[in-house]
Amino acid sequence: MTKYIETTGKTEDLAIAAALEQLGMDRDDVSVEIINRAKTGFLGIGSCPARVRVSYEAPDPVPVKEPEPVASVAAPVEPQEAPEKKPAAPGQKKPVNKRPANQQPRPKKKEQPRKPEASGKEPAAEAQTMVQAKEPAAPAADRTGDIVAFLTGLMEHLDVEATPVVRINEDGIYEVNLEGEDLGALIGRRGETLDAIQQLTNYAMNHGQNHRIRVHVDCENYRAKREESLQRLARKTAGKAVKYRRNMMLEPMNAYERHVIHAELQDYHPNISTYSTGTEPNRRIVVAYNK
């Protein structure tokens, strides 16, 4: 299920950073749409903050079955007939309940304060029962074995001799390197096959799990080489945008590649900003020149 939030900031980058901090996600986990671009105005008059819409995928809510009400069979209650009132005889007055003259009203009982019940516990024991220390959350289970088993079976189905080597980095991300010979078929055109393997692995590891993990799959150091080429492309495109003072649009990229472009141009030039437009798989980055 796709959800989104809208945030504002002095610039587009600050608005996006505020949304990412609020969601606790990375740039490549979300899609950003610029609603209003920031305007500085003249001498601060007519200035307008940037407004962005950040979309992200959230798990569908699990429907909770309500217990069916138990029908209780009540015994039928027979209506009771009211006693018939006899008409008073002519000339006879209705009886009036009067208190005798010598009878005094009954005094009201004074309510006595309730005595506190004896708990039978010592003060220290009561304090321990009232204040409960929060136990630390149990650490997430290591999924290395599951990842290796899944990728090994996938390589057998693809008829490719590749061995997955898994390590966990400082951010808790599982980094998988497929080792073997002549593994170009696993990379595909612009890493499309490698991206598909990574997406399948993430789906298999997170399906039906409460704790979500992230898995990055690489082969023959393709990610690092592709990242360097994307950084060069980003700087070259930003230079053209500054030179010609107009927006430049890049080719469609996946979420990871768009994240590399955003990160590279975040502090490249004060008049340069980036945002994504379009829908997957044709979503692309616009390198915008802010006049």
Side-chain angles (χ1 to χ4, degrees):
M1 180 173 60
T2 303
K3 294 185 178 181
Y4 68 88
I5 62 171
E6 294 183 2
T7 56
T8 58
K10 189 175 181 180
T11 63
E12 289 83 357
D13 293 335
L14 292 178
I16 296 172
L20 295 177
E21 182 178 359
Q22 182 177 348
L23 294 174
M25 295 183 174
D26 296 333
R27 185 68 176 265
D28 56 343
D29 294 335
V30 300
S31 299
V32 180
E33 179 182 357
I34 305 297
I35 300 177
N36 293 327
R37 303 193 65 82
K39 297 180 181 179
T40 57
F42 178 72
L43 298 178
I45 301 175
S47 61
C48 179
R51 188 176 186 87
V52 299
R53 177 179 297 167
V54 178
S55 305
Y56 61 97
E57 293 293 332
D60 297 333
V62 180
V64 180
K65 295 183 179 180
E66 297 182 356
E68 298 181 358
V70 180
S72 58
V73 180
V77 180
E78 297 180 357
Q80 297 181 357
E81 297 181 357
E84 297 181 358
K85 295 183 179 180
K86 297 182 179 181
Q92 183 180 1
K93 296 182 179 180
K94 295 181 180 180
V96 179
N97 294 331
K98 290 185 178 181
R99 184 184 299 146
N102 57 353
Q103 184 178 359
Q104 297 181 356
R106 296 178 181 177
K108 296 182 178 180
K109 295 182 180 180
K110 295 182 179 180
E111 297 182 357
Q112 297 180 356
R114 297 181 179 178
K115 295 182 181 180
E117 297 178 357
S119 59
K121 297 181 180 179
E122 298 179 356
E126 293 181 0
Q128 291 178 359
T129 57
M130 294 175 62
V131 181
Q132 297 180 354
K134 294 184 178 180
E135 297 181 358
D142 189 359
R143 306 293 303 280
T144 301
D146 298 337
I147 296 174
V148 172
F150 173 79
L151 287 175
T152 302
L154 182 61
M155 294 301 104
E156 292 179 357
H157 282 82
L158 295 176
D159 197 15
V160 176
E161 295 182 1
T163 303
V165 178
V166 185
R167 77 177 188 90
I168 305 176
N169 63 11
E170 298 177 354
D171 299 329
I173 300 175
Y174 291 82
E175 295 183 349
V176 183
N177 186 35
L178 300 175
E179 297 181 353
E181 297 181 358
D182 300 330
L183 300 181
L186 293 181
I187 299 176
R189 179 178 176 271
R190 294 183 181 176
E192 293 178 353
T193 306
L194 192 61
D195 292 338
I197 294 174
Q198 177 175 291
Q199 186 175 1
L200 285 174
T201 307
N202 278 278
Y203 179 80
M205 294 301 105
N206 293 313
H207 181 66
Q209 300 292 328
N210 295 327
H211 181 73
R212 180 179 176 84
I213 65 172
R214 294 178 59 185
V215 184
H216 289 174
V217 181
D218 197 2
C219 179
E220 295 182 352
N221 203 24
Y222 170 79
R223 300 290 187 191
K225 297 176 183 178
R226 177 61 175 167
E227 186 172 340
E228 292 178 0
S229 64
L230 288 173
Q231 290 171 349
R232 291 194 298 267
L233 175 64
R235 293 191 296 268
K236 183 179 179 180
T237 305
K240 290 183 179 180
V242 173
K243 180 179 179 180
Y244 299 108
R245 297 189 176 185
R246 63 185 181 88
N247 297 349
M248 306 293 292
M249 183 175 293
L250 299 176
E251 60 186 7
M253 299 179 183
N254 58 31
Y256 170 75
E257 295 177 342
R258 294 197 303 268
H259 168 71
V260 174
I261 300 294
H262 288 306
E264 181 65 21
L265 299 181
Q266 185 173 2
D267 300 323
Y268 177 79
H269 193 276
N271 293 338
I272 290 294
S273 63
T274 59
Y275 63 92
S276 301
T277 183
T279 57
E280 301 289 356
N282 296 320
R283 193 165 179 80
R284 57 183 68 198
I285 286 181
V286 176
V287 180
Y289 178 78
N290 304 322
K291 300 178 180 180

